[in-house]
Amino acid sequence: MSDIQQGRTGRETCRRIERRSSAPVGQARAEAAPSRLGGLGLLIALMVTVMAQDASCAADRTRDLTELSLEQLGDIEITSVSKREQRLADAPASIYVITKEAIRRAGVNTLAEALRLAPNLQVARINASQYAISARGFNSATANKLLVLVDGRSVYTPLYSGVFWESQDVPLGDVERIEVISGPGGTLWGANAVNGVINVITSTAGASVGTQAQASAGNLSRAVSLRQGWRFDGGGALRAYAKYNQREDSERASGIDADDGFEKLQLGFRSDLDAAGGTLTLQGDAYKESISQTNAADQRHHGGNLLGRWVRTLDDGATLNLQTYLDRSWRDIPGVYTTMSATMAAWPFCRHRGVCTGPTRSPSTSTNFRRSRR
């Protein structure tokens, strides 16, 4: 067997292992078909086995990347720049792609921390729960010149057109890639994309069949997540997850606790099915969180979203996309305000040979209710 054939065989083995498990090295995890999960003892044994196998595969993947040319590295496919698939090297924009492998190696457990991997973003943690994330300077907790999308759903709040980063999260093991565009993107994406676009793209449900458990713990934070995936006999797949994060109070320079501890529980699902000659995607998330405050009751936040998308490839090569989503959130900050907001959007568009021939912006409606408390 030649060296090339051996390399291909090793990569195929690693891909099989990666499909069974994608949790970060150094964190407890397990991936197995649901029918083979026989108890806690077997789960622990699988966790140790997969970690050892994955460490070997990580080294192989590193060697593979070093053997690629600059042209091959530019062959990564992206979709955020022109709203169509294209090679990274052909994209007419400054763009950085955070890959699934980079997230796994970083060992982060929140979306905001994963964005630190992008050199074209400024990411600052304000306290135990809040982040300030922006591009091209002018960063603050209320920065609102950056469009953030999760699988095509805009996650800005109608309260100030920015993002509450403590409320936005996804299971990082299910993230396929994160595309970060530097510079204005308002022509395609609308007014929020003044300084750039962050597009979080998750993998299909069929890519996460089986069971994955992951946990991490430290002196200041703890996190645990569980994901289960199923494949249907008639076609299609479904995955569901639960994720819990908890972070202790941060410490001031004087050594006194800042009373800003954070606790969050999030549940969600995604289903990909064959329907009406195309692919139907249904996905949703729900979360509940609490944040400590000095001399006041804890902040309480909860919310949820539901998204539906139907994609069909036509005979002439054009692609028809129909998408709609509903996003609702409720925030109670004792002594300051209570706000409830809901955003709904729906739009169709058609791409013919890579050119959008329908609406590129989503007609959306949003409502916001706010009651001040003194």
PDB file of all heavy atoms in Angstrom, residues 94-96 98 111-124 132-137 139 145-148 165 178-183 195-200:
ATOM      1  N   SER A  94     -13.180  40.177   3.109  1.00  0.00           N
ATOM      2  CA  SER A  94     -12.257  39.714   4.138  1.00  0.00           C
ATOM      3  C   SER A  94     -13.041  38.824   5.095  1.00  0.00           C
ATOM      4  O   SER A  94     -13.930  39.303   5.793  1.00  0.00           O
ATOM      5  CB  SER A  94     -11.647  40.905   4.890  1.00  0.00           C
ATOM      6  OG  SER A  94     -10.846  40.448   5.958  1.00  0.00           O
ATOM      7  N   ILE A  95     -12.746  37.541   5.124  1.00  0.00           N
ATOM      8  CA  ILE A  95     -13.534  36.586   5.893  1.00  0.00           C
ATOM      9  C   ILE A  95     -12.613  35.603   6.599  1.00  0.00           C
ATOM     10  O   ILE A  95     -11.572  35.204   6.057  1.00  0.00           O
ATOM     11  CB  ILE A  95     -14.546  35.841   4.990  1.00  0.00           C
ATOM     12  CG1 ILE A  95     -15.412  34.888   5.820  1.00  0.00           C
ATOM     13  CG2 ILE A  95     -13.862  35.128   3.848  1.00  0.00           C
ATOM     14  CD1 ILE A  95     -16.578  34.299   5.066  1.00  0.00           C
ATOM     15  N   TYR A  96     -12.997  35.252   7.812  1.00  0.00           N
ATOM     16  CA  TYR A  96     -12.266  34.249   8.586  1.00  0.00           C
ATOM     17  C   TYR A  96     -13.244  33.142   8.972  1.00  0.00           C
ATOM     18  O   TYR A  96     -14.371  33.430   9.400  1.00  0.00           O
ATOM     19  CB  TYR A  96     -11.647  34.867   9.843  1.00  0.00           C
ATOM     20  CG  TYR A  96     -10.769  33.902  10.611  1.00  0.00           C
ATOM     21  CD1 TYR A  96      -9.434  33.718  10.260  1.00  0.00           C
ATOM     22  CD2 TYR A  96     -11.277  33.156  11.682  1.00  0.00           C
ATOM     23  CE1 TYR A  96      -8.618  32.832  10.945  1.00  0.00           C
ATOM     24  CE2 TYR A  96     -10.471  32.268  12.367  1.00  0.00           C
ATOM     25  CZ  TYR A  96      -9.149  32.105  12.000  1.00  0.00           C
ATOM     26  OH  TYR A  96      -8.344  31.217  12.683  1.00  0.00           O
ATOM     27  N   ILE A  98     -13.974  29.938  11.393  1.00  0.00           N
ATOM     28  CA  ILE A  98     -13.644  29.139  12.588  1.00  0.00           C
ATOM     29  C   ILE A  98     -14.176  27.734  12.331  1.00  0.00           C
ATOM     30  O   ILE A  98     -15.384  27.523  12.251  1.00  0.00           O
ATOM     31  CB  ILE A  98     -14.273  29.734  13.855  1.00  0.00           C
ATOM     32  CG1 ILE A  98     -13.835  31.192  14.032  1.00  0.00           C
ATOM     33  CG2 ILE A  98     -13.886  28.921  15.087  1.00  0.00           C
ATOM     34  CD1 ILE A  98     -14.532  31.892  15.195  1.00  0.00           C
ATOM     35  N   LEU A 111     -20.565  29.926  22.979  1.00  0.00           N
ATOM     36  CA  LEU A 111     -20.393  30.539  21.669  1.00  0.00           C
ATOM     37  C   LEU A 111     -19.532  31.791  21.755  1.00  0.00           C
ATOM     38  O   LEU A 111     -18.672  32.028  20.898  1.00  0.00           O
ATOM     39  CB  LEU A 111     -21.764  30.873  21.078  1.00  0.00           C
ATOM     40  CG  LEU A 111     -21.783  31.597  19.739  1.00  0.00           C
ATOM     41  CD1 LEU A 111     -21.079  30.778  18.671  1.00  0.00           C
ATOM     42  CD2 LEU A 111     -23.216  31.917  19.322  1.00  0.00           C
ATOM     43  N   ALA A 112     -19.736  32.600  22.767  1.00  0.00           N
ATOM     44  CA  ALA A 112     -18.959  33.832  22.899  1.00  0.00           C
ATOM     45  C   ALA A 112     -17.467  33.542  23.034  1.00  0.00           C
ATOM     46  O   ALA A 112     -16.625  34.232  22.451  1.00  0.00           O
ATOM     47  CB  ALA A 112     -19.457  34.637  24.103  1.00  0.00           C
ATOM     48  N   GLU A 113     -17.101  32.516  23.785  1.00  0.00           N
ATOM     49  CA  GLU A 113     -15.695  32.159  23.938  1.00  0.00           C
ATOM     50  C   GLU A 113     -15.126  31.619  22.628  1.00  0.00           C
ATOM     51  O   GLU A 113     -13.955  31.850  22.318  1.00  0.00           O
ATOM     52  CB  GLU A 113     -15.541  31.120  25.055  1.00  0.00           C
ATOM     53  CG  GLU A 113     -15.760  31.658  26.456  1.00  0.00           C
ATOM     54  CD  GLU A 113     -14.681  32.639  26.876  1.00  0.00           C
ATOM     55  OE1 GLU A 113     -13.564  32.585  26.330  1.00  0.00           O
ATOM     56  OE2 GLU A 113     -14.958  33.482  27.746  1.00  0.00           O
ATOM     57  N   ALA A 114     -15.940  30.901  21.849  1.00  0.00           N
ATOM     58  CA  ALA A 114     -15.463  30.376  20.571  1.00  0.00           C
ATOM     59  C   ALA A 114     -15.111  31.505  19.605  1.00  0.00           C
ATOM     60  O   ALA A 114     -14.216  31.360  18.765  1.00  0.00           O
ATOM     61  CB  ALA A 114     -16.514  29.464  19.959  1.00  0.00           C
ATOM     62  N   LEU A 115     -15.788  32.643  19.714  1.00  0.00           N
ATOM     63  CA  LEU A 115     -15.525  33.763  18.809  1.00  0.00           C
ATOM     64  C   LEU A 115     -14.173  34.422  19.077  1.00  0.00           C
ATOM     65  O   LEU A 115     -13.692  35.213  18.254  1.00  0.00           O
ATOM     66  CB  LEU A 115     -16.644  34.802  18.919  1.00  0.00           C
ATOM     67  CG  LEU A 115     -18.017  34.341  18.416  1.00  0.00           C
ATOM     68  CD1 LEU A 115     -19.061  35.428  18.646  1.00  0.00           C
ATOM     69  CD2 LEU A 115     -17.970  33.961  16.946  1.00  0.00           C
ATOM     70  N   ARG A 116     -13.545  34.116  20.195  1.00  0.00           N
ATOM     71  CA  ARG A 116     -12.194  34.613  20.443  1.00  0.00           C
ATOM     72  C   ARG A 116     -11.201  34.073  19.417  1.00  0.00           C
ATOM     73  O   ARG A 116     -10.112  34.638  19.231  1.00  0.00           O
ATOM     74  CB  ARG A 116     -11.725  34.226  21.847  1.00  0.00           C
ATOM     75  CG  ARG A 116     -12.445  34.926  22.985  1.00  0.00           C
ATOM     76  CD  ARG A 116     -11.845  34.526  24.313  1.00  0.00           C
ATOM     77  NE  ARG A 116     -12.514  35.109  25.452  1.00  0.00           N
ATOM     78  CZ  ARG A 116     -12.233  36.300  25.979  1.00  0.00           C
ATOM     79  NH1 ARG A 116     -11.271  37.031  25.443  1.00  0.00           N
ATOM     80  NH2 ARG A 116     -12.886  36.744  27.028  1.00  0.00           N
ATOM     81  N   LEU A 117     -11.545  32.992  18.749  1.00  0.00           N
ATOM     82  CA  LEU A 117     -10.641  32.386  17.772  1.00  0.00           C
ATOM     83  C   LEU A 117     -10.553  33.198  16.485  1.00  0.00           C
ATOM     84  O   LEU A 117      -9.670  32.954  15.668  1.00  0.00           O
ATOM     85  CB  LEU A 117     -11.110  30.962  17.454  1.00  0.00           C
ATOM     86  CG  LEU A 117     -11.160  29.987  18.632  1.00  0.00           C
ATOM     87  CD1 LEU A 117     -11.770  28.666  18.207  1.00  0.00           C
ATOM     88  CD2 LEU A 117      -9.768  29.770  19.214  1.00  0.00           C
ATOM     89  N   ALA A 118     -11.470  34.130  16.269  1.00  0.00           N
ATOM     90  CA  ALA A 118     -11.468  34.954  15.059  1.00  0.00           C
ATOM     91  C   ALA A 118     -10.604  36.194  15.274  1.00  0.00           C
ATOM     92  O   ALA A 118     -10.923  37.024  16.134  1.00  0.00           O
ATOM     93  CB  ALA A 118     -12.886  35.354  14.677  1.00  0.00           C
ATOM     94  N   PRO A 119      -9.532  36.371  14.522  1.00  0.00           N
ATOM     95  CA  PRO A 119      -8.663  37.541  14.720  1.00  0.00           C
ATOM     96  C   PRO A 119      -9.295  38.848  14.280  1.00  0.00           C
ATOM     97  O   PRO A 119      -8.781  39.918  14.616  1.00  0.00           O
ATOM     98  CB  PRO A 119      -7.429  37.205  13.864  1.00  0.00           C
ATOM     99  CG  PRO A 119      -7.950  36.284  12.811  1.00  0.00           C
ATOM    100  CD  PRO A 119      -9.036  35.480  13.462  1.00  0.00           C
ATOM    101  N   ASN A 120     -10.395  38.791  13.522  1.00  0.00           N
ATOM    102  CA  ASN A 120     -11.045  40.020  13.064  1.00  0.00           C
ATOM    103  C   ASN A 120     -12.205  40.436  13.959  1.00  0.00           C
ATOM    104  O   ASN A 120     -13.042  41.242  13.556  1.00  0.00           O
ATOM    105  CB  ASN A 120     -11.532  39.861  11.619  1.00  0.00           C
ATOM    106  CG  ASN A 120     -12.358  38.589  11.412  1.00  0.00           C
ATOM    107  OD1 ASN A 120     -12.389  37.713  12.267  1.00  0.00           O
ATOM    108  ND2 ASN A 120     -13.005  38.497  10.267  1.00  0.00           N
ATOM    109  N   LEU A 121     -12.270  39.898  15.172  1.00  0.00           N
ATOM    110  CA  LEU A 121     -13.276  40.297  16.156  1.00  0.00           C
ATOM    111  C   LEU A 121     -12.593  40.763  17.436  1.00  0.00           C
ATOM    112  O   LEU A 121     -11.504  40.295  17.782  1.00  0.00           O
ATOM    113  CB  LEU A 121     -14.204  39.126  16.489  1.00  0.00           C
ATOM    114  CG  LEU A 121     -15.217  38.686  15.435  1.00  0.00           C
ATOM    115  CD1 LEU A 121     -16.015  37.494  15.960  1.00  0.00           C
ATOM    116  CD2 LEU A 121     -16.155  39.820  15.053  1.00  0.00           C
ATOM    117  N   GLN A 122     -13.248  41.688  18.133  1.00  0.00           N
ATOM    118  CA  GLN A 122     -12.810  42.081  19.473  1.00  0.00           C
ATOM    119  C   GLN A 122     -13.791  41.479  20.480  1.00  0.00           C
ATOM    120  O   GLN A 122     -14.981  41.829  20.477  1.00  0.00           O
ATOM    121  CB  GLN A 122     -12.782  43.601  19.626  1.00  0.00           C
ATOM    122  CG  GLN A 122     -11.684  44.297  18.833  1.00  0.00           C
ATOM    123  CD  GLN A 122     -12.097  44.598  17.413  1.00  0.00           C
ATOM    124  OE1 GLN A 122     -13.137  45.200  17.161  1.00  0.00           O
ATOM    125  NE2 GLN A 122     -11.280  44.201  16.457  1.00  0.00           N
ATOM    126  N   VAL A 123     -13.305  40.574  21.303  1.00  0.00           N
ATOM    127  CA  VAL A 123     -14.137  39.871  22.278  1.00  0.00           C
ATOM    128  C   VAL A 123     -13.617  40.182  23.672  1.00  0.00           C
ATOM    129  O   VAL A 123     -12.451  39.918  23.980  1.00  0.00           O
ATOM    130  CB  VAL A 123     -14.125  38.348  22.036  1.00  0.00           C
ATOM    131  CG1 VAL A 123     -15.000  37.637  23.060  1.00  0.00           C
ATOM    132  CG2 VAL A 123     -14.600  38.027  20.623  1.00  0.00           C
ATOM    133  N   ALA A 124     -14.472  40.759  24.507  1.00  0.00           N
ATOM    134  CA  ALA A 124     -14.096  41.104  25.879  1.00  0.00           C
ATOM    135  C   ALA A 124     -15.169  40.611  26.836  1.00  0.00           C
ATOM    136  O   ALA A 124     -16.361  40.817  26.585  1.00  0.00           O
ATOM    137  CB  ALA A 124     -13.915  42.618  26.024  1.00  0.00           C
ATOM    138  N   ALA A 132     -18.744  41.713  25.537  1.00  0.00           N
ATOM    139  CA  ALA A 132     -18.792  42.790  24.544  1.00  0.00           C
ATOM    140  C   ALA A 132     -18.053  42.288  23.317  1.00  0.00           C
ATOM    141  O   ALA A 132     -16.852  42.003  23.379  1.00  0.00           O
ATOM    142  CB  ALA A 132     -18.145  44.059  25.087  1.00  0.00           C
ATOM    143  N   ILE A 133     -18.778  42.158  22.200  1.00  0.00           N
ATOM    144  CA  ILE A 133     -18.196  41.598  20.977  1.00  0.00           C
ATOM    145  C   ILE A 133     -18.516  42.530  19.827  1.00  0.00           C
ATOM    146  O   ILE A 133     -19.675  42.890  19.598  1.00  0.00           O
ATOM    147  CB  ILE A 133     -18.754  40.187  20.697  1.00  0.00           C
ATOM    148  CG1 ILE A 133     -18.425  39.248  21.871  1.00  0.00           C
ATOM    149  CG2 ILE A 133     -18.189  39.633  19.398  1.00  0.00           C
ATOM    150  CD1 ILE A 133     -18.981  37.856  21.706  1.00  0.00           C
ATOM    151  N   SER A 134     -17.485  42.917  19.100  1.00  0.00           N
ATOM    152  CA  SER A 134     -17.680  43.819  17.967  1.00  0.00           C
ATOM    153  C   SER A 134     -16.513  43.655  17.006  1.00  0.00           C
ATOM    154  O   SER A 134     -15.615  42.833  17.211  1.00  0.00           O
ATOM    155  CB  SER A 134     -17.795  45.267  18.441  1.00  0.00           C
ATOM    156  OG  SER A 134     -18.121  46.123  17.364  1.00  0.00           O
ATOM    157  N   ALA A 135     -16.535  44.435  15.939  1.00  0.00           N
ATOM    158  CA  ALA A 135     -15.465  44.451  14.952  1.00  0.00           C
ATOM    159  C   ALA A 135     -15.176  45.892  14.566  1.00  0.00           C
ATOM    160  O   ALA A 135     -16.032  46.763  14.687  1.00  0.00           O
ATOM    161  CB  ALA A 135     -15.865  43.642  13.709  1.00  0.00           C
ATOM    162  N   ARG A 136     -13.971  46.132  14.149  1.00  0.00           N
ATOM    163  CA  ARG A 136     -13.549  47.458  13.695  1.00  0.00           C
ATOM    164  C   ARG A 136     -13.649  48.507  14.801  1.00  0.00           C
ATOM    165  O   ARG A 136     -13.937  49.679  14.559  1.00  0.00           O
ATOM    166  CB  ARG A 136     -14.387  47.903  12.476  1.00  0.00           C
ATOM    167  CG  ARG A 136     -14.373  46.913  11.331  1.00  0.00           C
ATOM    168  CD  ARG A 136     -15.315  47.309  10.210  1.00  0.00           C
ATOM    169  NE  ARG A 136     -14.802  48.448   9.454  1.00  0.00           N
ATOM    170  CZ  ARG A 136     -15.501  49.075   8.522  1.00  0.00           C
ATOM    171  NH1 ARG A 136     -16.737  48.696   8.255  1.00  0.00           N
ATOM    172  NH2 ARG A 136     -14.972  50.086   7.874  1.00  0.00           N
ATOM    173  N   GLY A 137     -13.403  48.107  16.041  1.00  0.00           N
ATOM    174  CA  GLY A 137     -13.392  49.041  17.150  1.00  0.00           C
ATOM    175  C   GLY A 137     -14.766  49.391  17.680  1.00  0.00           C
ATOM    176  O   GLY A 137     -15.766  48.752  17.352  1.00  0.00           O
ATOM    177  N   ASN A 139     -16.081  48.971  20.644  1.00  0.00           N
ATOM    178  CA  ASN A 139     -16.692  47.843  21.339  1.00  0.00           C
ATOM    179  C   ASN A 139     -17.257  48.271  22.684  1.00  0.00           C
ATOM    180  O   ASN A 139     -16.666  49.072  23.402  1.00  0.00           O
ATOM    181  CB  ASN A 139     -15.655  46.740  21.546  1.00  0.00           C
ATOM    182  CG  ASN A 139     -16.302  45.418  21.881  1.00  0.00           C
ATOM    183  OD1 ASN A 139     -17.505  45.254  21.731  1.00  0.00           O
ATOM    184  ND2 ASN A 139     -15.498  44.466  22.332  1.00  0.00           N
ATOM    185  N   LYS A 145     -23.622  47.101  15.863  1.00  0.00           N
ATOM    186  CA  LYS A 145     -23.289  47.273  14.439  1.00  0.00           C
ATOM    187  C   LYS A 145     -22.768  45.980  13.820  1.00  0.00           C
ATOM    188  O   LYS A 145     -22.063  45.994  12.816  1.00  0.00           O
ATOM    189  CB  LYS A 145     -22.229  48.373  14.284  1.00  0.00           C
ATOM    190  CG  LYS A 145     -22.655  49.729  14.809  1.00  0.00           C
ATOM    191  CD  LYS A 145     -23.879  50.256  14.067  1.00  0.00           C
ATOM    192  CE  LYS A 145     -24.219  51.678  14.469  1.00  0.00           C
ATOM    193  NZ  LYS A 145     -24.698  51.759  15.867  1.00  0.00           N
ATOM    194  N   LEU A 146     -23.141  44.844  14.408  1.00  0.00           N
ATOM    195  CA  LEU A 146     -22.665  43.552  13.932  1.00  0.00           C
ATOM    196  C   LEU A 146     -23.858  42.608  13.810  1.00  0.00           C
ATOM    197  O   LEU A 146     -24.598  42.403  14.767  1.00  0.00           O
ATOM    198  CB  LEU A 146     -21.638  42.985  14.918  1.00  0.00           C
ATOM    199  CG  LEU A 146     -20.762  41.829  14.459  1.00  0.00           C
ATOM    200  CD1 LEU A 146     -19.838  42.270  13.343  1.00  0.00           C
ATOM    201  CD2 LEU A 146     -19.938  41.307  15.637  1.00  0.00           C
ATOM    202  N   LEU A 147     -24.079  42.048  12.626  1.00  0.00           N
ATOM    203  CA  LEU A 147     -25.177  41.123  12.420  1.00  0.00           C
ATOM    204  C   LEU A 147     -24.740  39.714  12.828  1.00  0.00           C
ATOM    205  O   LEU A 147     -23.697  39.234  12.380  1.00  0.00           O
ATOM    206  CB  LEU A 147     -25.612  41.119  10.954  1.00  0.00           C
ATOM    207  CG  LEU A 147     -26.732  40.135  10.600  1.00  0.00           C
ATOM    208  CD1 LEU A 147     -28.028  40.513  11.300  1.00  0.00           C
ATOM    209  CD2 LEU A 147     -26.927  40.066   9.091  1.00  0.00           C
ATOM    210  N   VAL A 148     -25.534  39.065  13.663  1.00  0.00           N
ATOM    211  CA  VAL A 148     -25.224  37.714  14.144  1.00  0.00           C
ATOM    212  C   VAL A 148     -26.359  36.784  13.719  1.00  0.00           C
ATOM    213  O   VAL A 148     -27.534  37.042  14.019  1.00  0.00           O
ATOM    214  CB  VAL A 148     -25.042  37.683  15.675  1.00  0.00           C
ATOM    215  CG1 VAL A 148     -24.639  36.285  16.123  1.00  0.00           C
ATOM    216  CG2 VAL A 148     -23.988  38.702  16.107  1.00  0.00           C
ATOM    217  N   TRP A 165     -25.338  38.377  24.623  1.00  0.00           N
ATOM    218  CA  TRP A 165     -24.515  37.199  24.382  1.00  0.00           C
ATOM    219  C   TRP A 165     -24.695  36.125  25.439  1.00  0.00           C
ATOM    220  O   TRP A 165     -24.499  34.935  25.167  1.00  0.00           O
ATOM    221  CB  TRP A 165     -23.042  37.608  24.287  1.00  0.00           C
ATOM    222  CG  TRP A 165     -22.733  38.329  23.020  1.00  0.00           C
ATOM    223  CD1 TRP A 165     -22.565  39.668  22.849  1.00  0.00           C
ATOM    224  CD2 TRP A 165     -22.587  37.746  21.722  1.00  0.00           C
ATOM    225  NE1 TRP A 165     -22.319  39.965  21.534  1.00  0.00           N
ATOM    226  CE2 TRP A 165     -22.327  38.796  20.820  1.00  0.00           C
ATOM    227  CE3 TRP A 165     -22.648  36.433  21.238  1.00  0.00           C
ATOM    228  CZ2 TRP A 165     -22.127  38.566  19.451  1.00  0.00           C
ATOM    229  CZ3 TRP A 165     -22.454  36.216  19.886  1.00  0.00           C
ATOM    230  CH2 TRP A 165     -22.193  37.268  19.008  1.00  0.00           C
ATOM    231  N   ILE A 178     -18.054  28.580  11.763  1.00  0.00           N
ATOM    232  CA  ILE A 178     -18.504  29.941  12.039  1.00  0.00           C
ATOM    233  C   ILE A 178     -17.788  30.853  11.054  1.00  0.00           C
ATOM    234  O   ILE A 178     -16.563  30.923  11.038  1.00  0.00           O
ATOM    235  CB  ILE A 178     -18.198  30.380  13.486  1.00  0.00           C
ATOM    236  CG1 ILE A 178     -18.831  29.412  14.496  1.00  0.00           C
ATOM    237  CG2 ILE A 178     -18.699  31.793  13.737  1.00  0.00           C
ATOM    238  CD1 ILE A 178     -18.465  29.711  15.939  1.00  0.00           C
ATOM    239  N   GLU A 179     -18.556  31.545  10.221  1.00  0.00           N
ATOM    240  CA  GLU A 179     -17.992  32.448   9.225  1.00  0.00           C
ATOM    241  C   GLU A 179     -18.085  33.885   9.743  1.00  0.00           C
ATOM    242  O   GLU A 179     -19.171  34.344  10.109  1.00  0.00           O
ATOM    243  CB  GLU A 179     -18.732  32.301   7.894  1.00  0.00           C
ATOM    244  CG  GLU A 179     -18.669  30.885   7.322  1.00  0.00           C
ATOM    245  CD  GLU A 179     -19.497  30.712   6.071  1.00  0.00           C
ATOM    246  OE1 GLU A 179     -20.109  31.715   5.635  1.00  0.00           O
ATOM    247  OE2 GLU A 179     -19.549  29.586   5.532  1.00  0.00           O
ATOM    248  N   VAL A 180     -16.958  34.568   9.764  1.00  0.00           N
ATOM    249  CA  VAL A 180     -16.895  35.943  10.275  1.00  0.00           C
ATOM    250  C   VAL A 180     -16.428  36.864   9.148  1.00  0.00           C
ATOM    251  O   VAL A 180     -15.297  36.755   8.673  1.00  0.00           O
ATOM    252  CB  VAL A 180     -15.939  36.050  11.484  1.00  0.00           C
ATOM    253  CG1 VAL A 180     -15.945  37.479  12.028  1.00  0.00           C
ATOM    254  CG2 VAL A 180     -16.323  35.060  12.568  1.00  0.00           C
ATOM    255  N   ILE A 181     -17.310  37.750   8.715  1.00  0.00           N
ATOM    256  CA  ILE A 181     -16.999  38.682   7.630  1.00  0.00           C
ATOM    257  C   ILE A 181     -16.635  40.030   8.223  1.00  0.00           C
ATOM    258  O   ILE A 181     -17.376  40.580   9.044  1.00  0.00           O
ATOM    259  CB  ILE A 181     -18.200  38.845   6.683  1.00  0.00           C
ATOM    260  CG1 ILE A 181     -18.617  37.490   6.108  1.00  0.00           C
ATOM    261  CG2 ILE A 181     -17.874  39.815   5.551  1.00  0.00           C
ATOM    262  CD1 ILE A 181     -19.886  37.561   5.282  1.00  0.00           C
ATOM    263  N   SER A 182     -15.510  40.584   7.792  1.00  0.00           N
ATOM    264  CA  SER A 182     -15.104  41.920   8.218  1.00  0.00           C
ATOM    265  C   SER A 182     -15.570  42.951   7.197  1.00  0.00           C
ATOM    266  O   SER A 182     -15.477  42.727   5.989  1.00  0.00           O
ATOM    267  CB  SER A 182     -13.583  41.987   8.357  1.00  0.00           C
ATOM    268  OG  SER A 182     -13.127  41.100   9.348  1.00  0.00           O
ATOM    269  N   GLY A 183     -16.062  44.048   7.698  1.00  0.00           N
ATOM    270  CA  GLY A 183     -16.485  45.115   6.801  1.00  0.00           C
ATOM    271  C   GLY A 183     -17.982  45.129   6.585  1.00  0.00           C
ATOM    272  O   GLY A 183     -18.691  44.191   6.954  1.00  0.00           O
ATOM    273  N   ASN A 195     -20.599  46.697  10.530  1.00  0.00           N
ATOM    274  CA  ASN A 195     -19.189  46.370  10.745  1.00  0.00           C
ATOM    275  C   ASN A 195     -18.847  44.922  10.424  1.00  0.00           C
ATOM    276  O   ASN A 195     -17.687  44.532  10.552  1.00  0.00           O
ATOM    277  CB  ASN A 195     -18.789  46.670  12.191  1.00  0.00           C
ATOM    278  CG  ASN A 195     -18.715  48.150  12.470  1.00  0.00           C
ATOM    279  OD1 ASN A 195     -18.551  48.955  11.557  1.00  0.00           O
ATOM    280  ND2 ASN A 195     -18.852  48.526  13.732  1.00  0.00           N
ATOM    281  N   GLY A 196     -19.824  44.125  10.055  1.00  0.00           N
ATOM    282  CA  GLY A 196     -19.512  42.743   9.733  1.00  0.00           C
ATOM    283  C   GLY A 196     -20.682  41.814   9.991  1.00  0.00           C
ATOM    284  O   GLY A 196     -21.760  42.231  10.431  1.00  0.00           O
ATOM    285  N   VAL A 197     -20.449  40.534   9.705  1.00  0.00           N
ATOM    286  CA  VAL A 197     -21.461  39.490   9.864  1.00  0.00           C
ATOM    287  C   VAL A 197     -20.827  38.281  10.530  1.00  0.00           C
ATOM    288  O   VAL A 197     -19.716  37.878  10.163  1.00  0.00           O
ATOM    289  CB  VAL A 197     -22.057  39.066   8.501  1.00  0.00           C
ATOM    290  CG1 VAL A 197     -23.095  37.959   8.685  1.00  0.00           C
ATOM    291  CG2 VAL A 197     -22.671  40.255   7.775  1.00  0.00           C
ATOM    292  N   ILE A 198     -21.518  37.720  11.519  1.00  0.00           N
ATOM    293  CA  ILE A 198     -21.136  36.451  12.130  1.00  0.00           C
ATOM    294  C   ILE A 198     -22.227  35.446  11.784  1.00  0.00           C
ATOM    295  O   ILE A 198     -23.383  35.646  12.141  1.00  0.00           O
ATOM    296  CB  ILE A 198     -20.980  36.568  13.648  1.00  0.00           C
ATOM    297  CG1 ILE A 198     -19.873  37.559  14.014  1.00  0.00           C
ATOM    298  CG2 ILE A 198     -20.678  35.199  14.262  1.00  0.00           C
ATOM    299  CD1 ILE A 198     -19.752  37.815  15.505  1.00  0.00           C
ATOM    300  N   ASN A 199     -21.864  34.382  11.085  1.00  0.00           N
ATOM    301  CA  ASN A 199     -22.832  33.378  10.664  1.00  0.00           C
ATOM    302  C   ASN A 199     -22.440  32.034  11.267  1.00  0.00           C
ATOM    303  O   ASN A 199     -21.426  31.437  10.874  1.00  0.00           O
ATOM    304  CB  ASN A 199     -22.886  33.293   9.135  1.00  0.00           C
ATOM    305  CG  ASN A 199     -24.079  32.499   8.638  1.00  0.00           C
ATOM    306  OD1 ASN A 199     -24.954  32.121   9.413  1.00  0.00           O
ATOM    307  ND2 ASN A 199     -24.122  32.239   7.349  1.00  0.00           N
ATOM    308  N   VAL A 200     -23.236  31.560  12.229  1.00  0.00           N
ATOM    309  CA  VAL A 200     -22.985  30.271  12.886  1.00  0.00           C
ATOM    310  C   VAL A 200     -23.786  29.201  12.140  1.00  0.00           C
ATOM    311  O   VAL A 200     -25.005  29.295  12.037  1.00  0.00           O
ATOM    312  CB  VAL A 200     -23.403  30.309  14.365  1.00  0.00           C
ATOM    313  CG1 VAL A 200     -23.104  28.972  15.040  1.00  0.00           C
ATOM    314  CG2 VAL A 200     -22.683  31.445  15.087  1.00  0.00           C
TER     315      VAL A 200
END
